[in-house]
Amino acid sequence: VAIVIDDMSRTATVRTTKRTVLLAMSRKDFRGFFADRPEALADVELKIAGRKCQIRSIIYHPKGIELFTQYLKSQYAEESIEFWHEARAYRKWAKALDLSDERDQKKVNEKAAQLMERFIRPGCDRQVNISASMAKRVMKEVEGSNASASTFVESEGEVISLISKDKLGPFKFSPEFKELMKIV
């Protein structure tokens, strides 16, 4: 259990009746096993941790993100998870391009500008709650035509951190979370 729940000591007593091999893994190694399969890790974490799960377990689980988004819509706060989802897709897409090629750099700049105009620019329709300094950094990078795969990484982290602090606790007592626990 401690391998998926933070701030829990890792202790166990094991008694066997036959010759046994005991496998021990660090948290880092456990997560590394799932490095290319975050959805599988999320499923395991949700099964083990239940209400003690972290935001990562919910947003990387296919049904978890669906139900969490549904919950956020009921709280009029879905723009944050929409931003995370679109910024993550942008990052994966941009990583596959060759930014030394002017055409690819132009594509990245255009797509980054769309994300910025939709979620970052002050006063936009779907503005996410990030610090003014973070918004300025992103806008400077995008407006300077220097967008890259990592342009929105820090703002993604800030948005997820705020969602975790403000919305995760109440979500764990919602009908949507109860439904998720039935599924996993």
Side-chain angles (χ1 to χ4, degrees):
V1 175
I3 208 158
V4 299
I5 300 175
D6 288 338
D7 302 327
M8 184 173 253
S9 59
R10 292 185 65 188
T11 61
T13 302
V14 179
R15 293 184 186 178
T16 65
T17 57
K18 298 180 181 176
R19 186 172 169 86
T20 305
V21 175
L22 179 64
L23 171 67
M25 284 181 124
S26 68
R27 180 181 299 227
K28 181 180 174 187
D29 289 339
F30 180 76
R31 292 192 190 291
F33 179 74
F34 294 98
D36 295 331
R37 300 171 305 283
E39 299 83 5
L41 176 60
D43 194 62
V44 170
E45 287 177 335
L46 284 168
K47 286 176 181 173
I48 294 172
R51 275 204 176 118
K52 293 182 180 181
C53 70
Q54 297 175 350
I55 188 83
R56 170 188 66 247
S57 304
I58 293 166
I59 64 177
Y60 283 107
H61 190 277
K63 193 66 176 174
I65 187 68
E66 179 185 322
L67 291 166
F68 190 51
T69 301
Q70 181 181 320
Y71 171 77
L72 291 174
K73 283 180 181 178
S74 75
Q75 302 295 304
Y76 304 101
E78 71 270 19
E79 69 282 345
S80 296
I81 206 69
E82 286 175 14
F83 168 72
W84 173 81
H85 185 67
E86 289 188 32
R88 183 173 178 244
Y90 161 86
R91 183 170 16 100
K92 287 181 175 184
W93 169 79
K95 276 184 181 178
L97 298 176
D98 177 9
L99 298 186
S100 64
D101 179 330
E102 286 182 29
R103 291 173 300 193
D104 282 354
Q105 181 64 59
K106 185 178 179 186
K107 289 177 191 175
V108 168
N109 287 333
E110 288 171 356
K111 193 155 187 140
Q114 290 171 355
L115 276 173
M116 180 188 73
E117 292 299 333
R118 184 160 185 226
F119 294 107
I120 304 292
R121 186 169 304 281
C124 64
D125 289 342
R126 309 294 290 163
Q127 185 177 357
V128 293
N129 188 8
I130 60 172
S131 66
S133 61
M134 177 76 64
K136 283 179 185 176
R137 277 197 305 271
V138 169
M139 289 189 303
K140 182 179 178 182
E141 189 172 323
V142 173
E143 290 168 348
S145 297
N146 294 318
S148 69
S150 62
T151 296
F152 298 99
V153 170
E154 286 183 50
S155 50
E156 284 178 67
E158 196 169 306
V159 164
I160 291 301
S161 178
L162 286 169
I163 291 175
S164 184
K165 288 177 188 169
D166 296 342
K167 303 295 181 189
L168 182 59
F171 171 69
K172 291 178 181 179
F173 292 92
S174 71
E176 292 87 354
F177 187 79
K178 288 177 186 168
E179 185 179 336
L180 179 59
M181 290 297 96
K182 287 178 186 174
I183 293 166
V184 297

